[in-house]
Every structure is written in C-alpha cells, then in structure tokens.
Amino acid sequence: MPRDVGGERQLAAVVAVLCFIACLAAVAASAADRAAHGWAGRLRSEATVQVRPGIDETGAVAAARAAETLAGVAGVDEAQALARDEAEALLRPWLGEAVLGDIALPHLVTVRLDPVRPASPEALSRALAEAGLDAAVDDHGLWRREVERAALLVSGLAVGVFLLSAVAAATAVAYATRAGMAARRQIIDILSLNGATDRRIAWLFQRRFAVLAAIAGAAGAIGAALVLAVFRFGGGDQGFGAVLPLAWSDLLILSPCPLLAATVAVLAARGAALRSLGQRP
C-alpha cells in the first residue's frame, strides 16, 4: 500500500492534539481527587466549637474552660481556645484591618480529633452541656460534602473530556480511512482480483493507522508530561499546593496513551474499511 504522506501528517497532528488534551484531563482528575481527599481528611479530623459566655464569666474564660473540658473527651487529641489575635488573623484577608477592632469576634475552640476513632459531635456537645457551657459544635460536615461534590464534578468533567477526545479521534481516523480507500480504489480492486479478502485489505488500513495513532499518542503524552513537569517545578514541592497537588506518579497515567490511541484507531479503521468494502458494486 503506497503511503499518502500529506493526509497522514494532518491526521497525526489531530490525534496528537486530542491525546494531549485527554492526558491533561486525566492528570487534572487525579490531582483534583487527591486534593479533595486531603481537604476532606483534614476537615474530618477537626471540629470547631463556638462558646457563648455566661453572665458571670468572660468569653476568654469560657473558651478556656471549654477547651479543658473537650481535651478530656475520648476521641479528642487536642483542644485549644483560639486567642483574639488568631481569630483576627483568620478574618483579616476578608475584612481588612480597619474594622477588626470594632467587631465582636466569636469565642472559638479548635478541636483536633483522633484520626482512628474520632469523637462524634454528639459526644462533644454532651460533654460541654455537662460542664454547664453554652456552646455549638461544628464538625465541618457541610464543607466536607461540598469538597467531595466538587471533586466528583471535576472527575466527571475530566472523564467527559477524555471520552469526547476518543470519539473525535475515532471520527478522524474513520474519515481518513474512507478517504484513503477512495484514493486507492484501483489498488484495492487489484488486491481483490488476486485473492485478498475484505478482512485482509481492512487489516492493511488497520495496521497503517494503528502505527500512526500510536506515534501521535506518544507525542501527545510527551507534550502533557512536559506541561506536568513545568507545573510541578513552577508550583513548588506539591505542584500548585493544595489547589492542584501534582505528583510525579501522575506520569504513569500518561503511559497507556499510545496503546489506547492505537486501539481506538484500529477499531475505527476496521469499521470504516469493512463498511466501504461492503458497499462496493
């Protein structure tokens, strides 16, 4: 089968770009899932308690008493009352310096839970009530669910991009197969007259486009690996930190790209070739 260099070069470029996009989507999904698990784990291992002081005590005293009470609860590793300057540090990025001195800040206690057997919010609330404290416990469950929902959404979008890239690559290969068979109609007729079956002729196109797609897939994976390396070095020890924690192990996600691209090309070329051969007069 003579080569059609012009058409195959354009097809290789298209497949390489599609593989590059699919690889980036897969890496983004892995990093988002890693970030979500890290955030959810930290939220699951912590709780925040807001203490309302009684009539005969100050907020700082009530918060200190709440921290002492919670430190003795089973499943709590540490409980610490949050000082006003620490609370101001948390609010400063949102409210600025000007108004912090004029607002009444809540009296908070940060609770670090046992990662193996964490204390339940009910147990914390019960201990505070028994100590005569008026307090509300926040186990960060709402934020944890939001983080998990966001990670699921990002993963779903990445899978969608990956599937769309595979469909686009298959469509391009099928179109190139039909165009190549139309351009080589006389050669195909000669092969048929010499005893070549439709499956054998289809195999010639399958092999041609499988090799082309594998090379293009490798090029796309290498391009994605270079982008990953730039992001990894540019973002410090963890890529972009907690937002997009990239890891060198993400390179393993890119390794099957040439094989997957070749598989898609084989299936698309086979289907297109057999349909075209079956439609011959």
Side-chain angles (χ1 to χ4, degrees):
M1 297 286 280
R3 293 185 177 277
D4 181 14
V5 178
E8 291 183 356
R9 284 180 177 174
Q10 280 83 6
L11 176 62
V14 171
V15 174
V17 171
L18 292 172
C19 289
F20 173 77
I21 295 173
C23 287
L24 289 184
V27 170
S30 175
D33 183 71
R34 187 182 300 117
H37 277 84
W39 296 339
R42 285 192 292 271
L43 289 172
R44 192 177 293 110
S45 63
E46 295 179 354
T48 303
V49 178
Q50 181 177 352
V51 183
R52 291 175 285 271
I55 299 176
D56 57 345
E57 65 181 350
T58 64
V61 172
R65 194 156 62 90
E68 184 179 357
T69 300
L70 294 173
V73 177
V76 174
D77 282 348
E78 182 183 4
Q80 183 177 4
L82 202 66
R84 180 178 177 87
D85 57 345
E86 294 175 315
E88 289 181 353
L90 293 175
L91 294 175
R92 189 171 291 113
W94 309 100
L95 301 180
E97 295 280 359
V99 298
L100 285 177
D102 300 329
I103 62 175
L105 299 180
H107 302 281
L108 302 178
V109 176
T110 59
V111 183
R112 187 160 54 86
L113 304 174
D114 185 345
V116 179
R117 294 182 177 178
S120 65
E122 294 77 13
L124 299 179
S125 299
R126 186 167 54 252
L128 292 169
E130 292 174 354
L133 290 162
D134 183 10
V137 178
D138 180 10
D139 66 342
H140 305 161
L142 175 62
W143 301 108
R144 188 170 64 249
R145 288 191 293 271
E146 291 296 329
V147 166
E148 293 171 348
R149 187 180 298 112
L152 183 62
L153 176 61
V154 171
S155 299
L157 290 175
V159 171
V161 170
F162 182 85
L163 293 178
L164 287 175
S165 300
V167 171
T171 303
V173 170
Y175 176 81
T177 301
R178 288 193 293 268
M181 295 186 71
R184 301 178 178 91
R185 177 62 62 185
Q186 292 182 345
I187 297 175
I188 292 174
D189 291 340
I190 293 174
L191 291 174
S192 298
L193 291 174
N194 282 275
T197 63
D198 287 354
R199 292 181 179 276
R200 177 58 183 172
I201 296 173
W203 166 249
L204 297 176
F205 287 91
Q206 287 176 237
R207 183 177 60 185
R208 171 74 57 82
F209 289 114
V211 173
L212 182 146
I215 296 173
I222 292 173
L226 293 176
V227 172
L228 174 60
V230 170
F231 283 177
R232 187 69 173 78
F233 284 119
D237 292 339
Q238 291 184 338
F240 283 99
V243 178
L244 194 64
L246 300 172
W248 291 117
S249 59
D250 291 333
L251 292 174
L252 297 176
I253 301 175
L254 310 180
S255 56
C257 185
L259 178 60
L260 292 176
T263 302
V264 171
V266 165
L267 296 176
R270 180 179 179 81
L274 291 178
R275 279 196 300 271
S276 296
L277 292 170
Q279 294 171 357
R280 287 183 302 169

